[in-house]
Every structure is written in structure tokens, then in C-alpha cells.
Amino acid sequence: MPENTFLGPSLALSAILFSLGVAGVLLRRNAIVLFMCVELMLNAVNLAFIALAQFHGAGGQIMVLFVMTVAAAEAAVGLAIILAIFRHTQSVDLQNINLLRG
Amino acid sequence: MAAFVFYLFAAAAVLGAAMCVLQRNPVASAMWLMSTMFSLAAIFILLGAELIGILQVLVYVGAILVVFLFVIMLLNVARTSSDLRGPASLGATVVVAGLLVVELAALWQYTPRRLAADIAQAPAFADPARVFAAGAAARQATAAQGVVGALAAPLFQTYLVPFEVTSVLLLAAIIGAVVLAKRNI
Amino acid sequence: MKGFLLLSILKMLFVFTVIMVGVALLTLLERKVSAWMQNRHGPNRVGWAGLLQPAADGLKNILKEETYPALATRTLFFLAPAMSFIPALLLSAVIPFAAPLPLDFDFALGQLGRFAWHGAMPMVVADLPIGFLFVLAISSLGVYGVALAGWSSNSKYALLGGLRASAQMISYEVAMGMSLIPVLLLSGNVSFGAIIRDQQAGLWYVLPLFLSFFIFLVSGFAETNRLPFDLPEAESELIAGYHTEYSAMKFSFFFIAEYANVVTVCAMVTTLFFGGWDIPGHWDEQGGVLQTLATGGFFFLKLMFWIFVVMWVRWTLPRFRYDQLMALGWKVLTPLALAYIIVMCVAIYLIEHVAGLTDPTLRSLALFGVNVVIGLLVFGLLDSGVFIRGADRRPAASEVVG
């Protein structure tokens, strides 16, 4: 065991970044910036996995690998959807995307 | 020395995240997110996950953020006067963020010894080196087979099925993105 | 610990100085080589044989007025050259340029403490265990400088040039990364030191991995925006592409970044395929200062040869059209690199485990044979004009109805 594994501070940093990501998702109206805040949340979770992988073995790092891969796939598809919506409504403001509102 | 480096990059990460959330210009948001991801990559390397750290730069900064930047530039999303939602959202944010800050205060003092004690549920066995044998084994594998070799064995043996499923997922994502973004199919 | 710090600082100063002076002299070398090929003299007024020309150019750029377009985003406009320049220089930190130097010192400097080092010092600024992944990661950051430069200039030509250049760079990054995987398969390690040691023990990797070398070289040309792939920055296309609105020092940052990238790509080719600092033959393996100096000089010679080849190609070949460029990257190089990985996996498995040839030289010779066969097939197919079509042929005289 290395003498300082930074467990507490890493988890705290992960919590701060995650809460900033959640705040961004709740506060912003621009769809692309919203997406970036979702990526921020995923990064915070990656940090938590890596911090605990020092104790629980390589499974944590492999999980981070999969999270990164899925985030890449999600970013590609999500941005393609935003592009398609932009062609339809000429804006990325979330308030204008309300066709399903009852 | 290691503590100084950690807190430096942690501060940079928090600053980058805060600026990403608060900037009005989407390109500036993307640049601040890039600085957060770099700081996180440095922290990953400090925590002993060198391969994941460099893959964070290669995949997140080098590919995903480039896609974000391209979409922002192609859609020509200009800076707006105010991007924030109404008071209801602000209230929800305060509540959620407040809960998370409480969680943060609880996590700050979490040491490996306490983690071991919670898992072993007996103070007598709260020796981190004994409870976390898997971590020690991972460190030995890194010393013996190098940074890449230590991850390769679990990835291609224990986690082979998720690996193959992920490759199919990536194929589906590529096809989906191309179809969704075409003008006329 | 402090000895390591002191040695690292010395190495950093050395490499930084050599790179900056080298890049400046490369601008002169380019003009001299082009002059030699075009049967003229090149710059020879400033200093002896024009050697002070880069200094004069640098002085001119420092003294010129810094302009910026009225409606450009100021912060990003200033940030873009830096984002192009910093990754280019960062890459020179991981290339080993000489054999490890055995050092042995132990002294104390009063207040500063004790500096000690015993053993061989690797002649790299940063001997990373993740060597060439670092190079791939940092070279993919070059896209930001180009894309931001195009966007923040607030000009149609700059934006189009920036988008074209960045699309080209990300397309060829894929082929570049995939073409390096057979190197990893052969050497079993991602760190440059281990790759060079493996080439020292056997044959240089250009022989067993010739197609990999070819794909990497072509992708390297495309990544650094050099002819025949320099459509985004050619003078007659889109004014000057993404650096239309840049002048003076910011422009020279882009220029320095381009030449530093050329040096890095040539250094990668030398290290991964031509043995790095290895001198062929086994007479040089006893360690010592002499070996370090000899291998350093030999690395420099190989590097200069490849830089000359890059410049030679620039002044010889015509430019690709943009759609031909993208077709080459996606439809030819990427599938070829993928297929090559599979073929190499099978070949290495058969050679090492079925035929039992584990001696590095014999293994490399066997793979060279495989490569000759594949190479004849691939180059024969590529040359038939199926994938990249040139301009349409004029009708022959007999076909024209007179």
C-alpha cells in the first residue's frame, strides 16, 4: 500500500465535480452545454472508480475504460440528435423543444 | 510533494468545472471542460492508473471534446444574453447541490482504515493491507508486467464478454450517428 | 531524488534549446533544399550562406505589428497559436536521442541539499512507461489549435480552412494509431526504451513491418499538413486557410509548431522503425560516454535523413484534392491498417508458437518474407487506379471525331 492513497480527498473531489455537473444540467438551457455537464458527471464518477481501484484491484480501472467507451458512443449519438433537432427548429435552446408537451 | 501536486490539480479541476458551468460562450465552456479533463488525467496518473490517465487525454480530450467543438462551430451557436433557467430550476439546484455538499463533508475524512473497518466490520481486522488484497495484487501485476500488461489480463479474461459487447455498441453508435446526421437518407 | 531533478532540468534545457534552434534552422533548410532542387541558390545574403536568415525572419516577426480582426474573439484568437505550439514541443520530451549514459556522482551543495545519481541515465527528458500512447494523445491535441484558429478569426475562408484541416487531421490520426499496433505486437511494450532495445537485439522494425511503416509515413505527412496533403494551408487555396488572419509572432508560432511536428514525426519514424539510436552491428554495446555520443550522433543523422526526405517529397509531388485526401484516409489506409493488424497477429502467432522461432533476427526475417508477399499484393492493387482516380483522361486523338 503506498503511503498516501488520497482516498478521502479524491472522493470529495469526485463529489464536488458531480454536484457541479448536476447544477449545470439543472441550470443551463443550451443543449450542447448540458451535454458537456453530463460528461463532467461521468468524469467525476471515473475519478471515484480510480480512487477505489487502488484498494479493490484492476476491476475499477477496467470499469473506467468501459465508462469512457460508452461516453464516447453516447456523445456521438447525442450530438447527432442535437444536429438533427437543430435542422428542424433552428435552435438548441431547450425551451423551444416542446412538441410533446401536453 | 505528492500532496501539493494533488491539491494543485484538484483546484484546477474544480475551477475548470465551475467555469464550464457558468460561461455563456459554449466554446469557452468546452475549453474549461478540457482543462478539467487534463487535471483529472494528472490525478489519475498520481493515483497509479497511468494507462487510464493517458487514455483520458487520448479519448476524452483528443476525440470527444473535438466532436463537441465541431458541433458548436458547425451550428454556430452564438453566445446568448442569459442561458439560465428560471427560479424553479435555481431552487432545485440549491437543494440537490446542498445535499451533495453534505455528502462531500462526510467523505472528506474517509481514510483507508475506516473503509477497511467498514468492510471488515470488526476493528481488529481494520488493517488496509490485509483487507485489500486485490489492490496489492494489482500493484504487483503492474510491477511485473508493466502498465498495459496489468490491465490486459483482466480485460481479456475476466471481462471479455463486456469488451465484445462494447465493440458492438460502438458499431451501433457509429451507424446511428451517421444516419441521424445525414441530410437525406 | 534531487539528483534526478537536477539531471531532468539539464536534459530539458538541452532538448528545448536543440529543438528551438533546430526548428529555426529547418526553415532555412527547407528553402535551401527547394532551391537546390529548382537549380537556384536560395537565401545566401544574410550571414554566411544564409545561416542568419532564420534570425532575420524571427526579428522581423517580433517587430511586426500584431493585428487581430475587429470581430474576432480575443481570448481564443490568442489561445489558438499556443494550443498548436505547446503540444508540438511537448512531444519532443519522450523521444530517446542516445543510449543511456552511466553517471556516478554524489555531492552536497550547502543549503540546497545532496545531489546523487548512480547508474545509467536514460537520455530522454521523460522516460514514460506509456511512451507512444503519450505521443498519440498529445498529437491529437494539435487539432484544437487549427480548429480554434479557424473559428476565432471570424472569417469565412479561415473557418472553412480550419474545418478542412482539422477534419483531415482527425481522419489520419486513426490510420496512424492503428498502423502502430503491429509495433506494439512485435515489441510487447509501449515504452520507447523497450522498443529500441528490441530493435537492437534483432532487425530494425522497418523490415518485418514494412507496410506499417508506409502507412505511418503517409499518415505522418497528412497529420503535419505537409505536401502532398497541404490543401488547408496552401497559398492558392482558400487564401491561406486557418492562419489567414494571423500576422507576426502568432503566425510564426504556427510555423514553428508545424516544423516541430515534422521533427517529431521524423523522430517517431526513426525510433519506431529504424532503431532510434541503435547503430547496426553489435560492436557498440559496452556502455560508456563513447557509446552515448556515437549513438546520439547516429540518431541525429537518421533524423536529418528523414527530414530531408520530407522536404524532398514536398518539392516533388503535386497536391491531393480534398476528396481524394479523405478517400485515401478512410477508404484505403484505415482498412489496410486494420487488415494488417489481423494478418500480423496471425503471422506472429504462427512464427513464434507454431514454428517456434523466438530469436528476434529470425523472427524479423520471417515477417519480412510475409511483408514482401503482402506488399506486392497491396501496391499492385493500389497502383491500378481503382481507389484514387486522377483527373479524367483526355480522349485520344483517334477517338476524337475530326
mmCIF file of all heavy atoms in Angstrom, chain B residues 27 31 34 38 50-51 54 57-58 61-62 65-66 69-70 73-74 148, chain C residues 76 83 130 133-134 136-137 140-141 143-144 147-148 151 163 166-167 190:
data_model
loop_
_atom_site.group_PDB
_atom_site.id
_atom_site.type_symbol
_atom_site.label_atom_id
_atom_site.label_comp_id
_atom_site.label_asym_id
_atom_site.label_seq_id
_atom_site.Cartn_x
_atom_site.Cartn_y
_atom_site.Cartn_z
ATOM 1 N N VAL B 27 -18.088 27.732 -26.613
ATOM 2 C CA VAL B 27 -16.702 27.331 -26.904
ATOM 3 C C VAL B 27 -15.839 27.510 -25.659
ATOM 4 O O VAL B 27 -14.981 26.680 -25.351
ATOM 5 C CB VAL B 27 -16.138 28.143 -28.086
ATOM 6 C CG1 VAL B 27 -14.696 27.812 -28.312
ATOM 7 C CG2 VAL B 27 -16.931 27.859 -29.326
ATOM 8 N N MET B 31 -13.592 24.722 -23.602
ATOM 9 C CA MET B 31 -12.180 24.865 -23.244
ATOM 10 C C MET B 31 -11.951 24.657 -21.752
ATOM 11 O O MET B 31 -10.978 24.030 -21.323
ATOM 12 C CB MET B 31 -11.666 26.241 -23.657
ATOM 13 C CG MET B 31 -11.555 26.420 -25.151
ATOM 14 S SD MET B 31 -10.317 25.339 -25.867
ATOM 15 C CE MET B 31 -11.323 24.249 -26.799
ATOM 16 N N MET B 34 -12.086 21.084 -21.043
ATOM 17 C CA MET B 34 -10.821 20.461 -21.434
ATOM 18 C C MET B 34 -9.794 20.589 -20.312
ATOM 19 O O MET B 34 -9.057 19.646 -20.012
ATOM 20 C CB MET B 34 -10.303 21.114 -22.703
ATOM 21 C CG MET B 34 -9.094 20.439 -23.253
ATOM 22 S SD MET B 34 -8.654 21.110 -24.814
ATOM 23 C CE MET B 34 -7.562 22.374 -24.330
ATOM 24 N N PHE B 38 -7.880 17.526 -18.323
ATOM 25 C CA PHE B 38 -6.436 17.397 -18.179
ATOM 26 C C PHE B 38 -6.045 17.229 -16.718
ATOM 27 O O PHE B 38 -5.211 16.391 -16.362
ATOM 28 C CB PHE B 38 -5.736 18.646 -18.725
ATOM 29 C CG PHE B 38 -5.267 18.489 -20.120
ATOM 30 C CD1 PHE B 38 -5.732 19.310 -21.124
ATOM 31 C CD2 PHE B 38 -4.343 17.508 -20.442
ATOM 32 C CE1 PHE B 38 -5.301 19.155 -22.406
ATOM 33 C CE2 PHE B 38 -3.915 17.361 -21.731
ATOM 34 C CZ PHE B 38 -4.392 18.183 -22.721
ATOM 35 N N GLU B 50 -1.841 4.865 -14.668
ATOM 36 C CA GLU B 50 -1.199 5.640 -15.739
ATOM 37 C C GLU B 50 -1.873 5.431 -17.081
ATOM 38 O O GLU B 50 -2.078 6.383 -17.839
ATOM 39 C CB GLU B 50 0.277 5.237 -15.872
ATOM 40 C CG GLU B 50 1.188 5.780 -14.830
ATOM 41 C CD GLU B 50 1.683 4.689 -13.919
ATOM 42 O OE1 GLU B 50 1.255 3.546 -14.112
ATOM 43 O OE2 GLU B 50 2.472 4.981 -13.023
ATOM 44 N N LEU B 51 -2.208 4.170 -17.377
ATOM 45 C CA LEU B 51 -2.806 3.903 -18.686
ATOM 46 C C LEU B 51 -4.133 4.632 -18.822
ATOM 47 O O LEU B 51 -4.420 5.256 -19.854
ATOM 48 C CB LEU B 51 -3.006 2.396 -18.851
ATOM 49 C CG LEU B 51 -3.564 1.977 -20.192
ATOM 50 C CD1 LEU B 51 -2.568 2.302 -21.277
ATOM 51 C CD2 LEU B 51 -3.885 0.509 -20.204
ATOM 52 N N ILE B 54 -3.607 8.415 -19.468
ATOM 53 C CA ILE B 54 -3.257 8.815 -20.827
ATOM 54 C C ILE B 54 -4.410 8.522 -21.782
ATOM 55 O O ILE B 54 -4.622 9.258 -22.759
ATOM 56 C CB ILE B 54 -1.936 8.152 -21.272
ATOM 57 C CG1 ILE B 54 -1.300 8.954 -22.378
ATOM 58 C CG2 ILE B 54 -2.114 6.743 -21.694
ATOM 59 C CD1 ILE B 54 -0.790 10.285 -21.928
ATOM 60 N N VAL B 57 -6.740 11.452 -21.779
ATOM 61 C CA VAL B 57 -6.342 12.518 -22.698
ATOM 62 C C VAL B 57 -6.655 12.117 -24.131
ATOM 63 O O VAL B 57 -7.228 12.879 -24.909
ATOM 64 C CB VAL B 57 -4.834 12.836 -22.539
ATOM 65 C CG1 VAL B 57 -4.410 13.878 -23.536
ATOM 66 C CG2 VAL B 57 -4.546 13.314 -21.151
ATOM 67 N N LEU B 58 -6.312 10.881 -24.488
ATOM 68 C CA LEU B 58 -6.479 10.443 -25.877
ATOM 69 C C LEU B 58 -7.946 10.409 -26.272
ATOM 70 O O LEU B 58 -8.324 10.904 -27.333
ATOM 71 C CB LEU B 58 -5.845 9.051 -26.016
ATOM 72 C CG LEU B 58 -5.762 8.414 -27.382
ATOM 73 C CD1 LEU B 58 -4.997 9.279 -28.320
ATOM 74 C CD2 LEU B 58 -5.082 7.073 -27.255
ATOM 75 N N VAL B 61 -10.193 14.167 -24.250
ATOM 76 C CA VAL B 61 -9.748 15.460 -24.755
ATOM 77 C C VAL B 61 -9.509 15.394 -26.254
ATOM 78 O O VAL B 61 -9.892 16.279 -27.001
ATOM 79 C CB VAL B 61 -8.460 15.913 -24.046
ATOM 80 C CG1 VAL B 61 -8.032 17.248 -24.576
ATOM 81 C CG2 VAL B 61 -8.681 15.990 -22.566
ATOM 82 N N GLY B 62 -8.900 14.296 -26.722
ATOM 83 C CA GLY B 62 -8.491 14.249 -28.113
ATOM 84 C C GLY B 62 -9.600 13.905 -29.080
ATOM 85 O O GLY B 62 -9.488 14.188 -30.255
ATOM 86 N N LEU B 65 -14.119 15.785 -26.982
ATOM 87 C CA LEU B 65 -14.248 17.241 -26.948
ATOM 88 C C LEU B 65 -14.078 17.861 -28.328
ATOM 89 O O LEU B 65 -14.634 18.914 -28.615
ATOM 90 C CB LEU B 65 -13.236 17.845 -25.982
ATOM 91 C CG LEU B 65 -13.721 17.941 -24.558
ATOM 92 C CD1 LEU B 65 -12.727 18.696 -23.739
ATOM 93 C CD2 LEU B 65 -15.053 18.625 -24.478
ATOM 94 N N VAL B 66 -13.307 17.193 -29.202
ATOM 95 C CA VAL B 66 -13.180 17.699 -30.567
ATOM 96 C C VAL B 66 -14.518 17.614 -31.268
ATOM 97 O O VAL B 66 -14.916 18.535 -31.997
ATOM 98 C CB VAL B 66 -12.099 16.909 -31.335
ATOM 99 C CG1 VAL B 66 -12.100 17.286 -32.788
ATOM 100 C CG2 VAL B 66 -10.749 17.171 -30.745
ATOM 101 N N LEU B 69 -16.594 20.426 -30.046
ATOM 102 C CA LEU B 69 -16.158 21.689 -30.630
ATOM 103 C C LEU B 69 -16.639 21.819 -32.073
ATOM 104 O O LEU B 69 -17.118 22.872 -32.485
ATOM 105 C CB LEU B 69 -14.636 21.753 -30.571
ATOM 106 C CG LEU B 69 -14.016 23.133 -30.577
ATOM 107 C CD1 LEU B 69 -14.476 23.894 -29.387
ATOM 108 C CD2 LEU B 69 -12.510 22.993 -30.563
ATOM 109 N N PHE B 70 -16.556 20.727 -32.824
ATOM 110 C CA PHE B 70 -17.019 20.746 -34.209
ATOM 111 C C PHE B 70 -18.497 21.072 -34.276
ATOM 112 O O PHE B 70 -18.928 21.882 -35.107
ATOM 113 C CB PHE B 70 -16.793 19.368 -34.854
ATOM 114 C CG PHE B 70 -15.513 19.257 -35.587
ATOM 115 C CD1 PHE B 70 -14.380 19.892 -35.134
ATOM 116 C CD2 PHE B 70 -15.407 18.502 -36.735
ATOM 117 C CE1 PHE B 70 -13.192 19.782 -35.792
ATOM 118 C CE2 PHE B 70 -14.218 18.389 -37.404
ATOM 119 C CZ PHE B 70 -13.116 19.019 -36.946
ATOM 120 N N MET B 73 -19.104 24.655 -33.547
ATOM 121 C CA MET B 73 -18.700 25.532 -34.644
ATOM 122 C C MET B 73 -19.623 25.399 -35.832
ATOM 123 O O MET B 73 -19.955 26.382 -36.484
ATOM 124 C CB MET B 73 -17.253 25.201 -35.055
ATOM 125 C CG MET B 73 -16.269 25.596 -33.994
ATOM 126 S SD MET B 73 -14.577 25.703 -34.556
ATOM 127 C CE MET B 73 -14.369 24.190 -35.385
ATOM 128 N N LEU B 74 -20.079 24.163 -36.128
ATOM 129 C CA LEU B 74 -20.932 23.978 -37.295
ATOM 130 C C LEU B 74 -22.316 24.586 -37.082
ATOM 131 O O LEU B 74 -22.910 25.109 -38.011
ATOM 132 C CB LEU B 74 -21.079 22.488 -37.613
ATOM 133 C CG LEU B 74 -19.886 21.876 -38.314
ATOM 134 C CD1 LEU B 74 -20.082 20.389 -38.433
ATOM 135 C CD2 LEU B 74 -19.725 22.482 -39.676
ATOM 136 N N VAL B 148 0.526 -1.605 -19.139
ATOM 137 C CA VAL B 148 -0.512 -2.112 -20.026
ATOM 138 C C VAL B 148 -0.827 -3.569 -19.708
ATOM 139 O O VAL B 148 -1.984 -3.988 -19.717
ATOM 140 C CB VAL B 148 -0.064 -1.970 -21.497
ATOM 141 C CG1 VAL B 148 -1.112 -2.511 -22.428
ATOM 142 C CG2 VAL B 148 0.216 -0.527 -21.805
ATOM 143 N N LEU C 76 -9.761 33.536 -27.547
ATOM 144 C CA LEU C 76 -9.499 32.342 -28.339
ATOM 145 C C LEU C 76 -8.507 32.619 -29.444
ATOM 146 O O LEU C 76 -7.705 31.760 -29.804
ATOM 147 C CB LEU C 76 -10.804 31.818 -28.925
ATOM 148 C CG LEU C 76 -11.755 31.229 -27.888
ATOM 149 C CD1 LEU C 76 -13.066 30.900 -28.542
ATOM 150 C CD2 LEU C 76 -11.159 29.987 -27.281
ATOM 151 N N MET C 83 -2.130 26.730 -28.490
ATOM 152 C CA MET C 83 -2.600 25.360 -28.477
ATOM 153 C C MET C 83 -2.015 24.541 -29.600
ATOM 154 O O MET C 83 -2.065 23.322 -29.574
ATOM 155 C CB MET C 83 -4.124 25.337 -28.582
ATOM 156 C CG MET C 83 -4.756 25.933 -27.383
ATOM 157 S SD MET C 83 -6.144 24.997 -26.874
ATOM 158 C CE MET C 83 -5.418 23.415 -26.763
ATOM 159 N N ILE C 130 4.497 4.683 -20.721
ATOM 160 C CA ILE C 130 3.416 4.676 -21.690
ATOM 161 C C ILE C 130 3.821 5.452 -22.918
ATOM 162 O O ILE C 130 3.007 6.064 -23.576
ATOM 163 C CB ILE C 130 2.146 5.318 -21.103
ATOM 164 C CG1 ILE C 130 2.529 6.486 -20.222
ATOM 165 C CG2 ILE C 130 1.356 4.341 -20.325
ATOM 166 C CD1 ILE C 130 1.343 7.286 -19.829
ATOM 167 N N LEU C 133 1.840 5.892 -26.425
ATOM 168 C CA LEU C 133 0.466 6.349 -26.209
ATOM 169 C C LEU C 133 0.452 7.841 -25.913
ATOM 170 O O LEU C 133 -0.465 8.570 -26.290
ATOM 171 C CB LEU C 133 -0.170 5.603 -25.043
ATOM 172 C CG LEU C 133 -0.564 4.175 -25.305
ATOM 173 C CD1 LEU C 133 -1.204 3.621 -24.071
ATOM 174 C CD2 LEU C 133 -1.498 4.090 -26.466
ATOM 175 N N PHE C 134 1.499 8.304 -25.190
ATOM 176 C CA PHE C 134 1.633 9.722 -24.910
ATOM 177 C C PHE C 134 1.740 10.511 -26.208
ATOM 178 O O PHE C 134 1.102 11.545 -26.388
ATOM 179 C CB PHE C 134 2.877 9.943 -24.041
ATOM 180 C CG PHE C 134 3.130 11.359 -23.653
ATOM 181 C CD1 PHE C 134 2.491 11.912 -22.581
ATOM 182 C CD2 PHE C 134 4.031 12.139 -24.363
ATOM 183 C CE1 PHE C 134 2.731 13.224 -22.213
ATOM 184 C CE2 PHE C 134 4.271 13.440 -24.001
ATOM 185 C CZ PHE C 134 3.626 13.987 -22.924
ATOM 186 N N LEU C 136 0.651 9.630 -29.214
ATOM 187 C CA LEU C 136 -0.645 9.652 -29.899
ATOM 188 C C LEU C 136 -1.592 10.639 -29.243
ATOM 189 O O LEU C 136 -2.306 11.389 -29.923
ATOM 190 C CB LEU C 136 -1.270 8.252 -29.864
ATOM 191 C CG LEU C 136 -0.655 7.223 -30.785
ATOM 192 C CD1 LEU C 136 -1.382 5.913 -30.619
ATOM 193 C CD2 LEU C 136 -0.731 7.669 -32.211
ATOM 194 N N ALA C 137 -1.606 10.646 -27.895
ATOM 195 C CA ALA C 137 -2.545 11.527 -27.192
ATOM 196 C C ALA C 137 -2.213 12.996 -27.450
ATOM 197 O O ALA C 137 -3.089 13.799 -27.770
ATOM 198 C CB ALA C 137 -2.509 11.227 -25.695
ATOM 199 N N SER C 140 -2.914 14.340 -30.919
ATOM 200 C CA SER C 140 -4.308 14.621 -31.237
ATOM 201 C C SER C 140 -4.750 15.950 -30.654
ATOM 202 O O SER C 140 -5.855 16.400 -30.922
ATOM 203 C CB SER C 140 -5.223 13.495 -30.763
ATOM 204 O OG SER C 140 -5.018 13.232 -29.427
ATOM 205 N N LEU C 141 -3.928 16.602 -29.827
ATOM 206 C CA LEU C 141 -4.287 17.924 -29.333
ATOM 207 C C LEU C 141 -3.996 19.018 -30.341
ATOM 208 O O LEU C 141 -4.440 20.148 -30.165
ATOM 209 C CB LEU C 141 -3.509 18.235 -28.056
ATOM 210 C CG LEU C 141 -3.803 17.332 -26.881
ATOM 211 C CD1 LEU C 141 -2.982 17.771 -25.713
ATOM 212 C CD2 LEU C 141 -5.257 17.398 -26.536
ATOM 213 N N VAL C 143 -5.212 19.326 -33.122
ATOM 214 C CA VAL C 143 -6.448 19.685 -33.824
ATOM 215 C C VAL C 143 -7.054 20.955 -33.242
ATOM 216 O O VAL C 143 -7.631 21.770 -33.957
ATOM 217 C CB VAL C 143 -7.460 18.527 -33.712
ATOM 218 C CG1 VAL C 143 -8.730 18.848 -34.412
ATOM 219 C CG2 VAL C 143 -6.845 17.272 -34.269
ATOM 220 N N TYR C 144 -6.904 21.135 -31.903
ATOM 221 C CA TYR C 144 -7.548 22.288 -31.259
ATOM 222 C C TYR C 144 -6.996 23.600 -31.773
ATOM 223 O O TYR C 144 -7.749 24.541 -32.019
ATOM 224 C CB TYR C 144 -7.320 22.214 -29.746
ATOM 225 C CG TYR C 144 -8.242 21.266 -29.071
ATOM 226 C CD1 TYR C 144 -7.794 20.031 -28.659
ATOM 227 C CD2 TYR C 144 -9.561 21.599 -28.865
ATOM 228 C CE1 TYR C 144 -8.643 19.156 -28.054
ATOM 229 C CE2 TYR C 144 -10.411 20.733 -28.251
ATOM 230 C CZ TYR C 144 -9.949 19.500 -27.851
ATOM 231 O OH TYR C 144 -10.793 18.639 -27.259
ATOM 232 N N ALA C 147 -8.524 24.206 -35.283
ATOM 233 C CA ALA C 147 -9.967 24.462 -35.295
ATOM 234 C C ALA C 147 -10.277 25.810 -34.641
ATOM 235 O O ALA C 147 -11.075 26.599 -35.161
ATOM 236 C CB ALA C 147 -10.695 23.333 -34.568
ATOM 237 N N LEU C 148 -9.626 26.097 -33.504
ATOM 238 C CA LEU C 148 -9.891 27.365 -32.833
ATOM 239 C C LEU C 148 -9.388 28.541 -33.645
ATOM 240 O O LEU C 148 -10.018 29.603 -33.661
ATOM 241 C CB LEU C 148 -9.221 27.375 -31.466
ATOM 242 C CG LEU C 148 -9.919 26.558 -30.406
ATOM 243 C CD1 LEU C 148 -9.142 26.645 -29.126
ATOM 244 C CD2 LEU C 148 -11.322 27.056 -30.192
ATOM 245 N N TRP C 151 -11.973 29.197 -36.295
ATOM 246 C CA TRP C 151 -13.260 29.711 -35.811
ATOM 247 C C TRP C 151 -13.145 31.104 -35.237
ATOM 248 O O TRP C 151 -14.004 31.947 -35.453
ATOM 249 C CB TRP C 151 -13.804 28.749 -34.756
ATOM 250 C CG TRP C 151 -15.210 28.974 -34.413
ATOM 251 C CD1 TRP C 151 -16.288 28.600 -35.125
ATOM 252 C CD2 TRP C 151 -15.704 29.642 -33.250
ATOM 253 N NE1 TRP C 151 -17.437 28.975 -34.489
ATOM 254 C CE2 TRP C 151 -17.105 29.616 -33.333
ATOM 255 C CE3 TRP C 151 -15.100 30.254 -32.158
ATOM 256 C CZ2 TRP C 151 -17.910 30.174 -32.367
ATOM 257 C CZ3 TRP C 151 -15.912 30.808 -31.190
ATOM 258 C CH2 TRP C 151 -17.290 30.766 -31.298
ATOM 259 N N LEU C 163 -11.795 24.070 -40.596
ATOM 260 C CA LEU C 163 -12.574 22.836 -40.521
ATOM 261 C C LEU C 163 -11.986 21.758 -41.409
ATOM 262 O O LEU C 163 -11.903 20.590 -41.024
ATOM 263 C CB LEU C 163 -14.021 23.105 -40.910
ATOM 264 C CG LEU C 163 -14.855 23.785 -39.840
ATOM 265 C CD1 LEU C 163 -16.248 24.053 -40.341
ATOM 266 C CD2 LEU C 163 -14.912 22.938 -38.597
ATOM 267 N N SER C 166 -8.753 20.417 -39.736
ATOM 268 C CA SER C 166 -8.972 19.568 -38.573
ATOM 269 C C SER C 166 -9.640 18.261 -38.959
ATOM 270 O O SER C 166 -9.323 17.217 -38.380
ATOM 271 C CB SER C 166 -9.767 20.284 -37.483
ATOM 272 O OG SER C 166 -10.702 21.142 -38.019
ATOM 273 N N ALA C 167 -10.533 18.285 -39.970
ATOM 274 C CA ALA C 167 -11.128 17.022 -40.422
ATOM 275 C C ALA C 167 -10.044 16.117 -40.995
ATOM 276 O O ALA C 167 -10.028 14.907 -40.740
ATOM 277 C CB ALA C 167 -12.200 17.294 -41.471
ATOM 278 N N VAL C 190 4.953 -0.657 -24.609
ATOM 279 C CA VAL C 190 4.672 0.646 -25.207
ATOM 280 C C VAL C 190 5.768 1.662 -24.939
ATOM 281 O O VAL C 190 5.704 2.766 -25.435
ATOM 282 C CB VAL C 190 3.350 1.286 -24.716
ATOM 283 C CG1 VAL C 190 2.231 0.947 -25.604
ATOM 284 C CG2 VAL C 190 3.070 0.968 -23.323
#
